[in-house]
């Protein structure tokens, strides 16, 4: 199973008491003493309103999830299967994928009328909530926050999340288990006054904080989104899946380090090779946009009669870039042109084409090609030289 004791996924318990009325004087006291309310907490005037509100919010969360999960729409069904086909690693546990999809879809995706399911639920339930404090929090759930960032555990019921891009510090309350250092958090947060409640499925990935934060930053900049919410609203499930890729890679890396420390034989080298092949074999990066960019690059190089080995090297760089970074692509051909333009930085490659020629061929702006070429080169020149070295060998 992909998910083990080191990888925390938030599976919140949804089976809760659905009685949300105020406590009657002759009813059992909510403190659990077994006495009637009038002879217990009411008598001593120590009833904990915060506890009652918390219980009501737990019920509302469960009802919200059920409301989304039972919604019937062609758009939701098509979206479910569309993303499932791309989530190669998350398919290892359909229950986790389904909970992640349901909570994400209902919280972020608008219907034909421009309304999200979470908004419809809140509007419907507000008239049934009698406690003002609960109603106020429920109303605020329309402003659900989709977030990603570094995370640390402050106590058994509080996480501190430093959000990517914004740098905002968010306090998330929930009963959490153990938490490793350098962990990355991804989740949907429901406002609860000054803190937040994680909705349904959330993810905590150990050991990948640095790589994941850099990935979020790069994709955010490449997509030119207005806000982190806009970015994550569309890319939440992909980031969740990429988290497993990065986590798997870190596990493999840790395993290789342990193996080299105890065994310097050829057996460990074979094991390393198998581990790398296992990661590379999961072709989760091959979205239609990536395939189009790669195919367009290959077509251009073939039509221009470029050297076969040099062409294959450029294609390999683009594939490696897509696999590792998983950028959000709006125009695949910008990346095709950028890889040809990038070749000018490599003395060992003789492929040379001016940006205007590339812009005309791929029908994109020269400025877009230049900007993307520079961005890829700055972050991937080490990979380029590694591939060159491997080709010569």
């Amino acid at each position: 199973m992909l998910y083990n004791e080191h990888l925390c996924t938030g599976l919140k318990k949804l089976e809760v008491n659905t009685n949300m009325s105020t406590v009657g004087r002759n009813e059992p006291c909510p403190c659990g003493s077994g006495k009637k309310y009038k002879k217990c907490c009411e008598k001593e005037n120590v009833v904990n309103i915060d506890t009652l509100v918390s219980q009501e919010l737990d019920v509302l969360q469960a009802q919200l999830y059920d409301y989304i999960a039972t919604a019937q729409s062609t758009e939701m069904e098509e979206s479910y299967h569309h993303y499932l086909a791309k989530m190669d690693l998350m398919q290892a546990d359909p229950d986790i994928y389904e909970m992640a999809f349901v909570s994400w879809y209902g919280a972020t995706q608008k219907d034909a009328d421009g309304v999200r399911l979470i908004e419809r639920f809140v509007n419907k339930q507000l008239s049934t909530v009698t406690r003002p404090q609960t109603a106020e929090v429920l109303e605020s759930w329309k402003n659900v926050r989709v977030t990603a960032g570094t995370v640390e555990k402050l106590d058994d019921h509080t996480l501190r999340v430093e959000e990517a891009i914004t740098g905002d510090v968010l306090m998330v309350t929930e009963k959490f288990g153990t938490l490793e250092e350098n962990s990355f958090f991804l989740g949907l947060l429901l406002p609860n006054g000054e803190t937040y409640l994680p909705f349904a499925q959330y993810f905590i990935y150990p050991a990948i904080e640095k790589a994941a934060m850099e990935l979020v930053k790069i994709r955010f900049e490449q997509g030119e989104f207005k806000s982190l919410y806009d970015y994550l609203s569309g890319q939440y499930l992909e980031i969740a899946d990429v988290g497993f890729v990065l986590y798997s890679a870190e596990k493999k890396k840790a395993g290789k380090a342990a193996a080299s420390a105890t065994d310097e034989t050829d057996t460990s080298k074979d094991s390393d090779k198998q581990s790398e092949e296992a990661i590379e074999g999961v072709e989760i990066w091959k979205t239609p946009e990536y395939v189009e960019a790669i195919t367009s690059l290959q077509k251009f190089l073939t039509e221009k009669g470029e050297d076969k080995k040099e062409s294959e090297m450029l294609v390999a760089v683009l594939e490696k870039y897509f696999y590792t970074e998983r950028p959000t692509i709006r125009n695949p051909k910008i990346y095709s042109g950028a890889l040809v333009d990038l070749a000018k930085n490599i003395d060992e490659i003789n492929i040379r084409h001016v940006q205007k020629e590339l812009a005309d061929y791929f029908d994109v702006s020269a400025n877009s090609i230049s900007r993307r070429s520079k961005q890829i080169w700055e972050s991937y020149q080490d990979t380029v030289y590694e591939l060159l070295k491997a080709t010569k060998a």
Side-chain angles (χ1 to χ4, degrees):
M1 179 178 282
L2 178 62
Y3 313 98
N4 58 35
E5 68 276 10
H6 298 296
L7 180 59
C8 305
T9 57
L11 292 170
K12 299 190 67 179
K13 187 175 182 181
L14 297 179
E15 299 82 2
V16 292
N17 180 9
T18 58
N19 180 11
M20 291 183 57
S21 62
T22 56
V23 180
R25 296 185 72 247
N26 290 313
E27 293 179 2
C29 185
C31 75
S33 66
K35 299 179 182 180
K36 291 183 178 181
Y37 176 54
K38 67 182 180 181
K39 293 184 177 181
C40 190
C41 288
E42 184 191 41
K43 182 179 178 181
E44 298 180 13
N45 196 29
V46 293
V47 64
N48 189 332
I49 297 300
D50 289 341
T51 298
L52 296 177
V53 171
S54 179
Q55 291 171 350
E56 292 176 352
L57 293 176
D58 283 344
V59 173
L60 285 165
Q61 279 207 60
Q63 292 176 339
L64 170 59
Y65 182 86
D66 288 343
Y67 179 82
I68 299 169
T70 56
Q72 299 293 324
S73 75
T74 302
E75 292 78 13
M76 186 173 179
E77 185 72 17
E78 291 177 348
S79 181
Y80 176 88
H81 291 292
H82 167 74
Y83 282 101
L84 180 61
K86 297 166 62 178
M87 304 290 103
D88 290 321
L89 293 184
M90 288 182 70
Q91 287 182 36
D93 195 321
D95 290 339
I96 284 185
Y97 168 72
E98 181 172 339
M99 183 168 278
F101 174 84
V102 167
S103 52
W104 163 78
Y105 189 93
T108 65
Q109 302 304 292
K110 296 180 178 180
D111 60 20
D113 297 323
V115 182
R116 295 167 296 146
L117 286 171
I118 191 172
E119 294 175 278
R120 294 193 182 281
F121 172 82
V122 170
N123 292 336
K124 176 184 176 183
Q125 291 298 116
L126 274 174
S127 62
T128 69
V129 177
T130 58
R131 200 179 305 280
Q133 297 96 318
T134 305
E136 182 179 357
V137 173
L138 177 60
E139 177 72 35
S140 73
W141 286 3
K142 293 179 181 179
N143 299 318
V144 59
R145 189 160 187 159
V146 193
T147 193
T150 61
V151 60
E152 65 174 308
K153 181 179 177 182
L154 300 185
D155 56 50
D156 288 343
H157 294 84
T158 310
L159 289 184
R160 177 185 183 276
V161 177
E162 184 172 343
E163 197 171 56
I165 309 301
T166 69
D168 292 348
V169 174
L170 314 175
M171 295 301 175
V172 183
T173 58
E174 169 72 341
K175 188 174 182 179
F176 299 103
T178 58
L179 180 66
E180 297 183 23
E181 294 182 357
N182 301 317
S183 290
F184 178 75
F185 180 90
L186 177 70
L188 301 150
L189 301 181
L190 301 174
N192 183 23
E194 297 298 320
T195 63
Y196 292 88
L197 302 170
F199 176 44
Q201 180 69 68
Y202 59 89
F203 301 91
I204 299 178
Y205 303 98
I208 68 165
E209 174 265 327
K210 184 177 180 180
M213 291 288 279
E214 185 64 22
L215 174 65
V216 171
K217 180 181 177 182
I218 290 174
R219 288 191 173 190
F220 178 81
E221 292 175 346
Q222 289 176 338
E224 299 178 353
F225 296 95
K226 294 180 179 179
S227 68
L228 181 64
Y229 176 87
D230 289 340
Y231 164 55
L232 291 179
S233 290
Q235 299 292 312
Y236 182 81
L237 295 175
E238 285 91 340
I239 292 296
D241 204 45
V242 170
F244 289 113
V245 175
L246 296 175
Y247 176 66
S248 297
E250 285 299 321
K251 285 183 64 180
K252 296 285 192 302
K253 192 181 297 183
K256 289 195 291 183
S260 62
T262 57
D263 187 358
E264 298 293 334
T265 65
D266 291 339
T267 301
S268 66
K269 295 179 180 179
D270 292 339
S271 177
D272 292 351
K273 184 177 180 180
Q274 291 173 359
S275 296
E276 291 173 0
E277 289 174 350
I279 298 174
E280 296 294 337
V282 183
E283 296 184 343
I284 61 176
W285 51 269
K286 284 193 174 180
T287 66
E289 294 81 8
Y290 295 173
V291 171
E292 181 181 350
I294 293 168
T295 302
S296 296
L297 173 61
Q298 292 171 324
K299 180 182 177 183
F300 174 87
L301 296 171
T302 299
E303 290 181 0
K304 298 300 181 180
E306 300 294 355
D307 180 81
K308 183 177 180 180
K309 285 189 175 181
E310 292 183 356
S311 298
E312 289 176 348
M313 204 281 292
L314 282 184
V315 171
V317 171
L318 186 56
E319 289 183 336
K320 189 77 172 180
Y321 180 77
F322 284 158
Y323 177 83
T324 306
E325 303 299 336
R326 300 257 244 140
T328 300
I329 291 184
R330 297 185 178 181
N331 188 337
K333 293 185 178 180
I334 291 177
Y335 288 81
S336 308
L339 259 293
V340 180
D341 184 61
L342 180 146
K344 69 177 182 288
N345 300 301
I346 309 170
D347 294 337
E348 293 85 347
I349 289 182
N350 296 313
I351 298 174
R352 296 289 185 272
H353 295 274
V354 297
Q355 289 176 357
K356 185 179 185 307
E357 176 193 1
L358 297 175
D360 290 342
Y361 181 91
F362 292 108
D363 193 23
V364 297
S365 72
N367 185 50
S368 296
I369 289 176
S370 176
R371 185 171 64 249
R372 194 66 70 223
S373 172
K374 181 180 179 182
Q375 187 178 57
I376 297 175
W377 177 250
E378 288 177 350
S379 61
Y380 257 70
Q381 53 185 291
D382 290 343
T383 299
V384 172
Y385 288 121
E386 287 174 8
L387 291 172
L388 271 174
K389 185 177 180 181
T391 301
K392 291 180 179 180

